């Protein structure tokens, strides 16, 4: 797929910009339960990026031990199978990011001491939550839109893991909620399950998510 980088001029984030760092957690990195290929590679990129921003927030995938998105909770199913949940199709995952476990911790090299908010998501046993804004039933809110609006943050730059799941849904929901959204492409990596990465890039593009490289930040 050809990738069209939308903004190539140097950019200096302002007080109404926020960097949203999605799920840079040990379970999504090398050796983790649901490792994203090259997931670790984004950590220095995100750290550098964060220094350009006055405002940064983090999300943290945060599941109870018996979360319904875990294949282990479904007899005869294995990770990456799909099941029907009351809210629709749900991909099943290996047990990951269990609350309070080392795998749920942020990557040990992630260095964003100025981050202002941690949004934990996926803590309801029966609903998964890819997006930082709405859970997978597409109606239960995390409250993030209200937080961003109340603080006057209008443009959201997105980085993190995984491009084709939590990054994708967070970026598109941010657009739906009326924010300007910019994906920092080299600050993300995807799982790429059966074409999911290309599908994600197309869906984000159609939703009006713009693309930049981390090299344009001053
Ligand atoms: C994620 C699958 C399950 C992600 C989280 O962070 O992209 N993917 N839970
Ligand atoms: Zn999860």
């Amino acid at each position: 797929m050809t990738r069209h980088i939308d903004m190539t001029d140097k950019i200096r984030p302002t007080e109404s910009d926020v960097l949203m760092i999605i799920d840079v957690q040990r379970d999504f990195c090398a050796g983790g339960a649901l490792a994203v290929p090259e997931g670790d590679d984004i950590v220095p990129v995100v750290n550098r990026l964060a220094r350009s921003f006055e405002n940064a927030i983090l999300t943290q995938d945060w599941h109870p031990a018996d979360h319904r998105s875990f294949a282990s909770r479904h007899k005869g199913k294995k990770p990456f199978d799909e099941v029907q949940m009351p809210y629709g199709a749900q991909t099943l995952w290996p047990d990951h990011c269990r609350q309070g476990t080392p795998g749920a911790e942020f990557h040990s090299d992630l260095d964003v001491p100025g981050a202002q908010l941690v949004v934990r998501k996926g803590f309801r046993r029966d609903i998964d939550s890819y997006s930082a804004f709405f859970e997978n039933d597409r109606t239960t809110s995390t409250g993030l839109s209200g937080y961003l609006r109340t603080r006057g943050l209008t443009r959201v730059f997105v980085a993190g893991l995984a491009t084709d799941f939590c990054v994708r849904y967070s970026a598109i929901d941010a657009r739906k909620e009326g924010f300007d959204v910019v994906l920092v492409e080299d600050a993300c990596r995807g799982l790429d399950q059966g074409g999911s990465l290309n599908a994600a890039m197309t869906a984000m593009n159609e939703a009006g998510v713009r693309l930049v490289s981390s090299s344009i930040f001053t």
Side-chain angles (χ1 to χ4, degrees):
M1 193 185 101
T2 51
R3 301 258 168 94
H4 178 70
I5 297 281
D6 299 283
M7 298 157 73
T8 51
D9 291 341
K10 287 282 176 196
I11 179 167
R12 182 191 296 275
T14 70
E15 61 183 9
S16 57
D17 291 329
V18 60
L19 178 64
M20 179 165 70
I21 304 166
I22 305 289
D23 296 2
V24 183
Q25 291 166 262
R26 291 173 61 173
D27 268 344
F28 297 123
C29 293
L34 182 45
V36 177
E38 302 177 2
D40 300 70
D41 293 0
I42 70 164
V43 175
V45 181
V46 171
N47 290 346
R48 201 176 333 111
L49 199 56
R51 277 181 222 121
S52 302
F53 280 81
E54 217 171 289
N55 304 301
I57 64 172
L58 306 166
T59 70
Q60 191 172 27
D61 212 37
W62 195 250
H63 299 307
D66 59 351
H67 195 249
R68 286 279 281 279
S69 77
F70 296 167
S72 61
R73 310 306 302 172
H74 300 260
K75 234 187 159 73
K77 297 288 180 192
K78 50 186 195 315
F80 311 107
D81 284 351
E82 205 174 88
V83 294
Q84 286 301 316
M85 299 280 232
Y87 54 77
Q90 170 70 49
T91 301
L92 298 178
W93 305 106
D95 291 20
H96 66 278
C97 297
R98 280 179 291 125
Q99 296 169 0
T101 64
E105 291 169 10
F106 292 115
H107 190 292
S108 54
D109 296 332
L110 185 69
D111 185 23
V112 190
Q116 299 154 344
L117 178 74
V118 178
V119 180
R120 286 177 166 169
K121 60 185 180 59
F123 53 76
R124 289 186 179 80
R125 191 194 60 182
D126 296 326
I127 316 178
D128 203 3
S129 188
Y130 296 152
S131 163
F133 293 87
F134 291 99
E135 302 191 13
N136 286 12
D137 63 1
R138 311 275 77 222
T139 52
T140 304
S141 173
T142 63
L144 181 57
S145 304
Y147 172 88
L148 296 176
R149 276 194 208 105
T150 302
R151 289 202 48 211
L153 300 168
T154 56
R155 186 165 60 167
V156 182
F157 290 80
V158 189
L161 305 171
T163 315
D164 34 1
F165 291 92
C166 291
V167 169
R168 169 189 177 163
Y169 284 88
S170 298
I172 290 176
D173 280 353
R175 285 289 302 141
K176 286 182 184 155
E177 288 294 287
F179 299 99
D180 289 328
V181 184
V182 185
L183 185 78
V184 187
E185 197 182 13
D186 57 318
C188 302
R189 288 293 186 282
L191 281 163
D192 206 9
Q193 302 284 335
S196 58
L197 189 53
N198 273 342
M201 297 309 291
T202 301
M204 286 190 279
N205 182 49
E206 284 171 357
V209 174
R210 290 181 295 168
L211 270 191
V212 298
S213 154
S214 66
S215 61
I216 69 164
F217 292 87
T218 61

